[in-house]
Amino acid sequence: MRVPADAQLIAFVLAEARLLDELRFDDWLQLFTEDGHYWMPLAHGQTETKLHASLMFEDKLLLKIRVERLRGARTYSQQPRSRCHHLLQQPTVESRDDTAGVYTTRTAFHYVETRMDEQTLYAGWATHTLVTVNDTLHI
């Protein structure tokens, strides 16, 4: 197994945000392992996914359903479709386990969503747990 350099881990996180900004949701879904999850905690500092309510805790199946719904002709909340832009601070590699092929990054971000004449700005931190599968990084 090849061990990814920090620069490769950082490039992966940047590329993931670009896929979302470009609405390339199918390519984005391919970044996830079959047991991967997308988690958005409800409260700052929340560390547990199952003992507390979360804004989102979705496995790959639920992410696929979300993507299909975004594409749907009857998704009236997305007519016209929202646009988004991630402005990322340089991601940092927080932990590495080269033997297990598991890596954690942390990225501060501003996220802007635009729909018609309205813009919504969010600021936060994203943590990615990345794994190598067949010498390829995945979430």
Side-chain angles (χ1 to χ4, degrees):
M1 171 175 58
R2 289 182 298 161
V3 174
D6 284 0
Q8 290 172 288
L9 301 171
I10 291 166
F12 181 94
V13 172
L14 298 174
E16 185 227 6
R18 183 172 182 172
L19 290 175
L20 291 170
D21 289 348
E22 294 175 353
L23 306 177
R24 295 172 52 195
F25 298 124
D26 289 326
D27 294 333
W28 177 73
L29 283 171
Q30 295 306 309
L31 299 179
F32 285 82
T33 61
E34 289 306 312
D35 62 347
H37 286 85
Y38 187 91
W39 176 44
M40 188 179 297
L42 179 62
H44 179 72
Q46 185 176 338
T47 58
E48 180 55 50
T49 59
K50 296 183 181 169
L51 296 178
H52 302 283
S54 297
L55 292 171
M56 277 187 243
F57 184 65
E58 298 182 354
D59 62 11
K60 193 165 183 180
L61 174 62
L62 287 175
L63 291 174
K64 286 179 185 177
I65 292 169
R66 181 179 293 276
V67 165
E68 288 171 13
R69 193 174 70 237
L70 285 171
R71 267 197 216 106
R74 294 187 178 140
T75 308
Y76 299 110
S77 67
Q78 286 298 298
Q79 295 179 12
R81 181 172 282 187
S82 296
R83 296 184 326 264
C84 66
H85 176 73
H86 291 81
L87 180 62
L88 305 181
Q89 187 177 50
Q90 177 77 18
T92 58
V93 177
E94 299 292 302
S95 68
R96 305 180 59 95
D97 184 341
D98 292 328
T99 303
V102 179
Y103 310 91
T104 305
T105 64
R106 184 176 189 273
T107 310
F109 67 88
H110 283 174
Y111 170 81
V112 180
E113 185 174 287
T114 304
R115 185 165 175 272
M116 298 177 72
D117 291 334
E118 281 189 38
Q119 283 192 338
T120 307
L121 170 67
Y122 300 96
W125 299 270
T127 301
H128 286 77
T129 302
L130 306 177
V131 297
T132 51
V133 179
N134 298 325
D135 289 332
T136 304
L137 287 169
H138 291 278
I139 301 170

